[in-house]
Amino acid sequence: MLNESLLEQAASKLHGITDLVAFTGAGVSAESGVPTFRGAEGVWKNFRAEEVATPEAFARDPKLVWEFYNDRRDLLADLQPNPAHDTLAELQRRFERFTLVTQNIDGLHALAGSRNLLELHGNLWRVRCTGCGQTWETVGEKLPAIPECESCGALLRPDVVWFGEALPEQVWNEAFTAVSQCEAILVVGTSAVVYPAAGLVEVARRHGAQVIEVNIEPTAASESADVCLHGRAGEVLPALLEALRTQGSG
Ligand code: BV8
Ligand code: ZN
């Protein structure tokens, strides 16, 4: 059962502000059927991240790495956004400045209609040529086991950020700016262990933002949070929106 008073407390922190950031991780897609990374059924269970989500792994065994990503593309092709994604898209329409910063690569926020979306770790549906650098959106497409570039013949790779790789500079700068300016940050469904992304929560707090966490359990971000709403994002976020409505905001 959701804690009504904490919901009211969180809603009152959002009431009347104009600049909100939502920072999401794999937990926001869990109720859509996307395995999280570190949960019991975590996507890493068959593979260790170091095995498949690194440039070294790709150089060593591109076939294995593509098997890992093609499996996730196949799984995702049939999955839909859940009420957590939908509520974040609705919140975007209620706040003058709303930035959605996600670590997820599953594309479900865009599918739910979120705009002004910053994908810190790239996107599973986009591929990039390791030779000429061209990128292609290949949403829902079935790729060959080892896809090659039509223009230059080099290997294609998923356009995601692997461990040991820098985040896309433009996206990182926009995210950093957004969290430095926001009045509140909603931290949803992340274990907050992957850096530099996880560091954005502290940046927001240091700049005076209220921090509201939504998660089924305590995380590394919990000590930075002013309010921790324990529960599934697909239930807590709609309830938070409802509490906002009854507070007559926006
Ligand atoms: C960098 C894309 C330097 C790929 C991802 C040692 C060795 C090597 C590297 C490091 C090291 N120590 C530290 C590092 C740095 C490393 C890092 O932070 N490692 C961690 C693991 C310690 N970081 C990097 O390597 C980054 N790059 O540092 O480069 C550099 C700098 C300059 C120039 C050159 C180089 C790059 C990190 C990006 C890696 N790519 N994804 C892919 O997905 O295949 S990260 C991956 O983890 C996903 O993006 C994922 O989003 C992200 C974080 O995980 P979460 O989203 O938080 O998911 P998780 O399962 O952990 O948690 C789910 C949460 O949801 C839980 O809290 C759970 O309770 C909750 N939940 C579950 N169900 C629900 C729910 N909540 C609500 N409702 C529910 N229903
Ligand atoms: Zn090419």
Side-chain angles (χ1 to χ4, degrees):
M1 196 48 204
L2 298 181
N3 180 319
E4 285 306 321
S5 72
L6 281 181
L7 269 175
E8 288 308 320
Q9 207 184 323
S12 64
K13 289 180 184 303
L14 298 181
H15 187 50
I17 70 166
T18 53
D19 200 326
L20 175 63
V21 166
F23 175 62
T24 65
V28 86
S29 298
E31 291 151 87
S32 294
V34 184
T36 62
F37 287 83
R38 291 162 191 86
E41 82 306 335
V43 72
W44 303 121
K45 82 174 180 312
N46 308 327
F47 298 97
R48 278 170 39 76
E50 289 67 27
E51 277 167 14
V52 287
T54 69
E56 296 74 23
F58 188 68
R60 184 176 60 240
D61 190 346
K63 192 167 178 307
L64 175 77
V65 172
W66 267 114
E67 185 187 335
F68 174 61
Y69 285 97
N70 276 328
D71 285 357
R72 287 165 77 187
R73 287 167 63 103
D74 293 348
L75 170 77
L76 260 165
D78 313 326
L79 301 184
Q80 292 301 320
N82 69 67
H85 298 104
D86 299 337
T87 305
L88 288 166
E90 173 58 32
L91 281 173
Q92 174 134 47
R93 295 187 271 273
R94 282 177 162 266
F95 287 88
E96 207 177 298
R97 263 191 309 288
F98 179 99
T99 306
L100 179 49
V101 179
T102 188
Q103 301 169 88
N104 298 343
I105 64 171
D106 58 31
L108 291 177
H109 281 306
L111 209 53
S114 285
R115 297 287 167 264
N116 195 19
L117 173 63
L118 299 175
E119 294 179 316
L120 294 177
H121 295 156
N123 186 299
L124 184 62
W125 295 114
R126 202 171 45 249
V127 295
R128 186 170 88 231
C129 177
T130 58
C132 63
Q134 273 186 82
T135 60
W136 289 270
E137 294 298 336
T138 61
V139 181
E141 287 177 37
K142 197 117 176 79
L143 297 176
I146 305 191
E148 290 171 353
C149 176
E150 290 151 9
S151 317
C152 75
L155 261 182
L156 297 181
R157 61 168 279 177
D159 194 20
V160 301
V161 180
W162 281 328
F163 288 97
E165 292 189 319
L167 276 58
E169 195 172 346
Q170 168 75 17
V171 172
W172 172 255
N173 291 339
E174 284 178 39
F176 195 91
T177 304
V179 299
S180 306
Q181 293 169 345
C182 69
E183 295 160 274
I185 182 168
L186 260 180
V187 182
V188 188
T190 182
S191 59
V193 297
V194 173
Y195 281 82
L200 292 173
V201 179
E202 260 309 292
V203 172
R205 197 189 60 76
R206 262 206 324 272
H207 283 79
Q210 289 293 301
V211 181
I212 299 166
E213 181 177 38
V214 177
N215 202 302
I216 52 173
E217 63 187 12
T219 72
S222 300
E223 63 257 27
S224 305
D226 298 287
V227 182
C228 289
L229 301 176
H230 284 156
R232 290 206 295 265
E235 291 162 25
V236 171
L237 287 179
L240 179 59
L241 177 59
E242 196 42 46
L244 261 178
R245 282 198 180 110
T246 43
Q247 286 195 11
S249 97

